Amino acid sequence: MAKEAAKVMRGEPKLTERPGGMRATDGAHRSTVTLTDNSSGRSYEFPLQQATVGPPVFDIRKLYNETGMFTFDPAFMSTASCESKITYIDGEEGILLYRGYPIEDLAERSSFLEVAYLLLHGELPSKAEFTDFNTKITRHTMIHEQLTQLFRGFRRDAHPMAVLVGVVGAMSAFYPGESAGAAHASARLSNIHRLIAKIPTIAAMAFKYSVGQPFMYPRNDLSFAGNFLHMVFAVPAEEYKVNPVLERALDDIFILHADHEQNASTSTVRLAGSSGANPFACIAAGIACLWGPAHGGANEAVLNMLEEIGNKKRIPEFIARAKDKDDPFRLMGFGHRVYKNFDPRAQVLRKRAHEVLDELGMRGEPLLELAQELERIALEDEYFVERKLYPNVDFYSGIILRAMGFPSSMFTALFAVARSVGWCAQWAEMIADPLQKIGRPRQLYTGSAKRPYVPITARED
């Protein structure tokens, strides 16, 4: 209430919910926003675009033409770069919706491939539609045998994300005839199926290559998550049985990471795709962006932080450092840039983390004990609770993946396996938008003004 009152005091439109969308009201309905230039006294009207849920946006596409000015919004913190029907986030309330469905419901009752269909097509599939989609993905999991030769060009200690960027980008050379953004919708969908199906195979091969083990080819009789576990952990000399508890936890990790609105990597995919670039190249660009420790690498950073702390006796020292504003140390895996409340994905994975630790009998493993003690402190310490610095999805996914046996270098690669679905859905939505133009952010130039060139012989030393 206080926040809404503050908006009214600032003269901002009050947001009220209505069937089919939101409207801006300030005593009366308004469909435009007035911008006044105080230096000249001129006023300009801009349309107010309504959202289904969430705040409306000022449509400033004609801002430069009408005013001769740009907006300045570093990191696009207050700018909607596109219109989308795929994912909605309310960070204040801790809400994440895929096509309108709460993430908690999907993680509890659905499967990753069903969620993939939902993100791509906008609706949950019928039984027949799901069977057809599952078959198409399953039969695309093999990769061209020549692609396997690319792995030999990487060092054995190459990061799996470096391998993913290279091999996924190289797929554009294997499907060049159907790759252009202007291709027929059916051709685009075929490439989406290829990407969703083959990226897990490539990620698993990247792991196998790093440890010197033979590649394990995909199996059509296993689930999406079960097949990935088999490709990563099975060896030819032994029979590998997929643990259903681990399979369920991994499937949930994939669901929870499938899409997350216009984050850095998704925006990268859209920006690359706006030029009409090959879709495999666009996804490779998204993988490269995801690799950053501030984005997809956060769960890997959690494990690195736990190893730095070392044991539970040192926790108070690092907690004190985290509270010291002059200390650069940060507790990785706590709080979230978008969620100002509990990360809804973390609530799901917290349950799965405890199930996995119990299933594997790993409650006493030192690093995981350390993680659980940090979790306890974050949920009880007044400093963290007041600031809502709760454990986020990266914290719990790191614990789960570590317990399963994945090295921390593979964490971001698993993130890419899941997010490939969201990237493909966002790319397809962008390509189908008739108003889409090539992305071209503007800038606030603060360099030198025009100046004359001075020959090197005339310049002072």
Side-chain angles (χ1 to χ4, degrees), residues 133-344:
F133 181 70
N134 184 64
T135 299
K136 287 176 178 175
I137 298 299
T138 300
R139 292 183 178 176
H140 272 304
T141 51
M142 294 285 290
I143 66 171
H144 197 290
E145 195 64 20
Q146 282 183 285
L147 271 173
T148 64
Q149 299 176 23
L150 293 178
F151 289 86
R152 298 177 185 176
F154 293 94
R155 288 169 51 110
R156 286 286 182 186
D157 59 354
H159 196 286
M161 291 296 283
V163 178
L164 269 180
V165 170
V167 179
V168 172
M171 287 176 67
S172 59
F174 288 80
Y175 307 103
E178 303 175 8
S179 297
H184 192 274
S186 62
R188 295 200 297 268
L189 190 58
S190 292
N191 281 327
I192 286 172
H193 292 161
R194 290 185 177 108
L195 280 159
I196 294 172
K198 297 180 191 302
I199 286 179
T201 306
I202 295 169
M205 288 180 167
F207 170 76
K208 287 296 194 183
Y209 181 77
S210 70
V211 295
Q213 293 181 2
F215 297 149
M216 296 298 295
Y217 289 94
R219 280 177 43 177
N220 292 351
D221 61 323
L222 297 175
S223 70
F224 189 91
N227 183 48
F228 186 76
L229 288 170
H230 178 270
M231 290 191 293
V232 170
F233 294 118
V235 291
E238 301 174 5
E239 182 182 2
Y240 178 82
K241 292 185 177 180
V242 177
N243 184 314
V245 175
L246 307 191
E247 181 181 19
R248 171 71 183 277
L250 186 60
D251 197 66
D252 273 354
I253 288 175
F254 287 156
I255 289 173
L256 298 171
H257 289 85
D259 196 55
H260 209 237
E261 207 226 45
Q262 302 308 313
N263 53 81
S265 58
T266 299
S267 298
T268 298
V269 171
R270 278 184 172 263
L271 189 60
S274 73
S275 71
N278 181 291
F280 299 99
C282 295
I283 301 303
I287 294 171
C289 182
L290 184 71
W291 190 357
H295 191 8
N299 52 8
E300 183 177 349
V302 169
L303 268 292
N304 294 337
M305 175 198 69
L306 292 174
E307 290 172 350
E308 180 184 359
I309 295 174
N311 60 68
K312 290 192 286 186
K313 293 181 180 180
R314 298 190 67 196
I315 289 179
E317 169 194 343
F318 283 87
I319 290 294
R321 291 182 60 188
K323 295 178 179 180
D324 183 357
K325 63 180 181 180
D326 296 322
D327 193 314
F329 174 77
R330 290 178 56 211
L331 278 181
M332 302 302 296
F334 292 82
H336 195 278
R337 180 176 178 179
V338 173
Y339 298 107
K340 308 308 177 186
N341 207 315
F342 208 99
D343 183 340

Side-chain angles (χ1 to χ4, degrees), residues 3-4 7 15 17 22 51-56 86-98 100-104 259-262 336-345 347 388:
K3 183 185 295 184
E4 198 64 38
K7 287 184 178 181
L15 300 179
E17 201 158 6
M22 308 289 288
T52 305
V53 289
I86 299 172
T87 301
Y88 173 74
I89 299 172
D90 185 333
E92 295 292 337
E93 298 297 327
I95 294 172
L96 172 60
L97 307 177
Y98 287 170
Y101 292 97
I103 193 66
E104 301 91 334
D259 196 55
H260 209 237
E261 207 226 45
Q262 302 308 313
H336 195 278
R337 180 176 178 179
V338 173
Y339 298 107
K340 308 308 177 186
N341 207 315
F342 208 99
D343 183 340
R345 302 169 300 171
Q347 297 185 32
K388 298 183 178 180

Side-chain angles (χ1 to χ4, degrees), residues 338-377:
V338 173
Y339 298 107
K340 308 308 177 186
N341 207 315
F342 208 99
D343 183 340
R345 302 169 300 171
Q347 297 185 32
V348 175
L349 283 195
R350 183 173 188 267
K351 177 182 177 181
R352 294 286 173 259
H354 291 283
E355 290 174 354
V356 168
L357 294 179
D358 288 338
E359 174 69 16
L360 299 177
M362 298 184 70
R363 290 278 184 178
E365 203 274 334
L367 203 65
L368 298 177
E369 275 195 338
L370 174 60
Q372 291 175 83
E373 179 64 11
L374 271 176
E375 174 195 45
R376 183 192 67 78
I377 290 173

